Amino acid sequence: MQKYDFLVVGGGIFGISSAIELARRNYKVGLINPDTLPHHLAASTDVSKAVRMEYGSDIEYFKMAEICIRKWREWNDILEEKIFHEVGFLMLCKKKIESDKNSYERHSLNYLIANGYNPERLNSAALKNRFPAVNTEIYTDACYNPVGGYVKSGKAIEALAQYARKLGVDIHEGQTAQQLLHENGKLIAVKTQENATFHCGHAIIAAGPYTPYLLPELKPFMKATGHPVFWLKPKDPLLYATPKLTVFMADISNTGWYGFPFLPEHGIVKVARHASGLIMDPNKDDRYVSKDEIRQMRTFIATTFPSLLNAPLVYTRRCLYADTLDGHFWIDQHPEIKGLTISTGGSGHGMKMGPIIGEMTADVAEGKVHQFSKRYRWRHLNPNTLQSEEARNIDRAKI
Ligand SMILES: Cc1cc2nc3c(=O)[nH]c(=O)nc-3n(C[C@H](O)[C@H](O)[C@H](O)COP(=O)(O)OP(=O)(O)OC[C@H]3O[C@@H](n4cnc5c(N)ncnc54)[C@H](O)[C@@H]3O)c2cc1C
């Protein structure tokens, strides 16, 4: 009977980066996940996820993202596959960046400059010239930062799983954790729906939005929320391809809208919304995108990219956040059960932080302190806690 030092439950970016880090520290590591990796319903499984340092006035996320960008570049080399595309990052504003409405953009710009970066400030004429698809009647100010871009997230999980196997991680696909077995307050094994039992010295629960269903004591502090994603097929792809378009946020803290340049391998431009989302039960609820959300998307496109207005909508998806009430990650040992660590709470912005989340989870599981782990520890959040990720357009009334 195989006994792992660490058993990781969940092969999204939180789980796979933790498994890699623990294997690098010479532990015997196993990982279980339903179906195959990358799992088609996982938040980490997508064609692109934004990688940005722009976190408004949140200097900690700024620094974490700075480190992660360096590590994604390294992963491109280690994995011998270009998963991180550094095409830069564009913040579009309807008013001057200095205006009160743009505190997210204003603080992000100030931190970039204060930390020695050289972002380009673009007025509407420069914007028209540089990113011609953008409606400069509406967006009259912008900031382009060449550092940052997007990760092909599904591909990243595939390549990282390969790398994990090379490091000796036993990845068990088709296994769904159902019960955590513990004796005298210590976790000893994980039993699956498929009737297998995985014995381990320590388990890491990184099941994304399913985590509070495995550990109901987390339900008061986090929930699954569903967010729409849209793929449009542009008539003139070159107008939407880099360098004519890059990863962008369109007045995001006031609208929630953001998107990606044309992806040739899929023939699409992807846009999505980082807002309140819909509270969902990941095990039960339908994940279809509503007509009303499609109508809202068309309105956004009409004002932002007029030449994309009639582009066929070729795919929609509702993807789930493991949404903590405050929007911060949740990485800590369980307060009552020994040998159990939780690594989740991506809250719509965790993919880019993969390289650091793996390290932080491994440190915390070993009982160490990571330079950034303090804020993500087990915390008692009251129901009125507000989301604090500054790029997110939050209808504070709904939360
Ligand atoms: C629409 C959308 C857009 C986003 N955009 C960005 C972005 O641009 N930039 C960014 O940085 N982040 C973004 N994010 C957030 C990011 O995708 C997530 O924070 C991150 O992928 C979460 O990773 P995870 O490993 O926690 O969860 P997941 O990727 O969901 O992985 C969880 C894994 O656990 C498995 N699992 C579930 N239950 C069990 C069980 N019982 N037993 C075993 N395994 C189980 C699942 O199959 C899955 O493989 C976005 C998220 C969404 C939904």
Side-chain angles (χ1 to χ4, degrees), residues 9-15 32-34 37-39 41-46 48-52 55 175-178 193 206-211 214 225 227-229 258 260 270 272-273 318-322 329 343-353:
V9 173
I13 192 65
F14 280 60
I32 60 173
N33 202 94
L37 280 188
H39 191 278
L41 292 176
S44 304
T45 308
D46 206 331
S48 59
K49 301 276 181 184
V51 176
R52 57 172 161 112
Y55 265 92
Q175 293 292 336
T176 315
Q178 186 176 55
Q193 274 173 20
Y210 297 84
T211 304
L214 277 171
T225 54
H227 302 262
V229 173
Y258 66 101
F260 300 84
K270 169 186 157 184
R273 197 162 194 190
R318 184 177 298 287
C319 167
L320 302 190
Y321 293 3
F329 310 139
S343 181
T344 193
S347 304
H349 64 111
M351 185 75 202
K352 70 179 75 61
M353 300 294 187

Side-chain angles (χ1 to χ4, degrees), residues 256-276:
W257 290 106
Y258 66 101
F260 300 84
F262 179 73
L263 294 174
E265 63 273 34
H266 301 281
I268 57 107
V269 169
K270 169 186 157 184
V271 296
R273 197 162 194 190
H274 186 42
S276 301

Side-chain angles (χ1 to χ4, degrees), residues 377-394:
R377 294 288 184 168
W378 196 288
R379 50 205 186 273
H380 291 275
L381 303 170
N382 72 53
N384 309 323
T385 304
L386 286 181
Q387 282 281 343
S388 56
E389 206 264 293
E390 295 170 32
R392 193 164 171 184
N393 168 237
I394 286 292

Side-chain angles (χ1 to χ4, degrees), residues 12 44 137 147 150 214 216 224 232 338 382:
S44 304
E137 304 293 313
V147 179
Y150 67 91
L214 277 171
L232 295 163
K338 293 205 170 16
N382 72 53

Side-chain angles (χ1 to χ4, degrees), residues 84-346:
F84 172 43
H85 293 254
E86 193 146 16
V87 295
F89 190 77
L90 177 67
M91 295 188 291
L92 296 169
C93 298
K94 294 177 178 170
K95 295 190 173 6
K96 275 250 161 273
I97 286 182
E98 288 73 14
S99 91
D100 293 350
K101 289 281 281 176
N102 296 332
S103 73
Y104 163 71
E105 290 84 359
R106 188 174 66 253
H107 286 119
S108 298
L109 176 60
N110 293 345
Y111 271 143
L112 287 171
I113 296 167
N115 287 276
Y117 292 91
N118 192 14
E120 270 176 75
R121 188 73 180 267
L122 304 164
N123 60 20
S124 38
L127 194 51
K128 188 89 206 139
N129 179 40
R130 188 74 188 278
F131 301 106
V134 176
N135 181 357
T136 49
E137 304 293 313
I138 302 285
Y139 299 94
T140 56
D141 200 358
C143 167
Y144 173 69
N145 173 14
V147 179
Y150 67 91
V151 165
K152 291 183 176 174
S153 56
K155 281 247 181 282
I157 298 297
E158 220 171 290
L160 289 166
Q162 266 323 88
Y163 180 55
R165 289 186 182 97
K166 263 199 212 138
L167 293 172
V169 177
D170 286 349
I171 295 183
H172 301 272
E173 295 175 299
Q175 293 292 336
T176 315
Q178 186 176 55
Q179 201 186 351
L180 307 179
L181 308 179
H182 35 94
E183 240 167 48
N184 312 323
K186 165 119 185 33
L187 185 126
I188 54 166
V190 175
K191 199 160 184 299
T192 67
Q193 274 173 20
E194 296 78 12
N195 266 330
T197 301
F198 293 87
H199 291 270
C200 57
H202 197 118
I204 311 265
I205 308 298
Y210 297 84
T211 304
Y213 293 83
L214 277 171
L215 293 161
E217 58 271 41
L218 286 170
K219 280 196 172 164
F221 312 127
M222 61 181 76
K223 50 182 160 268
T225 54
H227 302 262
V229 173
F230 308 88
W231 290 8
L232 295 163
K233 201 171 182 53
K235 215 167 56 241
D236 178 359
L238 291 181
L239 191 56
Y240 290 88
T242 50
K244 290 209 170 133
L245 188 66
T246 181
V247 182
F248 66 88
M249 287 188 157
D251 186 24
I252 193 165
S253 60
N254 301 310
T255 71
W257 290 106
Y258 66 101
F260 300 84
F262 179 73
L263 294 174
E265 63 273 34
H266 301 281
I268 57 107
V269 169
K270 169 186 157 184
V271 296
R273 197 162 194 190
H274 186 42
S276 301
L278 281 185
I279 298 172
M280 309 213 20
D281 178 335
N283 295 305
K284 293 200 194 103
D285 296 342
D286 274 337
R287 299 183 184 206
Y288 69 90
V289 170
S290 69
K291 285 206 177 69
D292 192 39
E293 286 169 315
I294 293 172
R295 190 186 48 71
Q296 290 166 9
M297 179 274 291
R298 289 289 183 195
T299 307
F300 160 66
I301 291 291
T303 49
T304 305
F305 300 113
S307 62
L308 203 57
L309 179 55
N310 300 318
L313 177 61
V314 291
Y315 174 74
T316 60
R317 172 188 189 208
R318 184 177 298 287
C319 167
L320 302 190
Y321 293 3
D323 223 348
T324 57
L325 298 188
D326 57 10
H328 295 310
F329 310 139
W330 195 284
I331 300 174
D332 201 355
Q333 294 204 7
H334 193 285
E336 275 138 37
I337 305 169
K338 293 205 170 16
L340 180 59
T341 292
I342 294 100
S343 181
T344 193

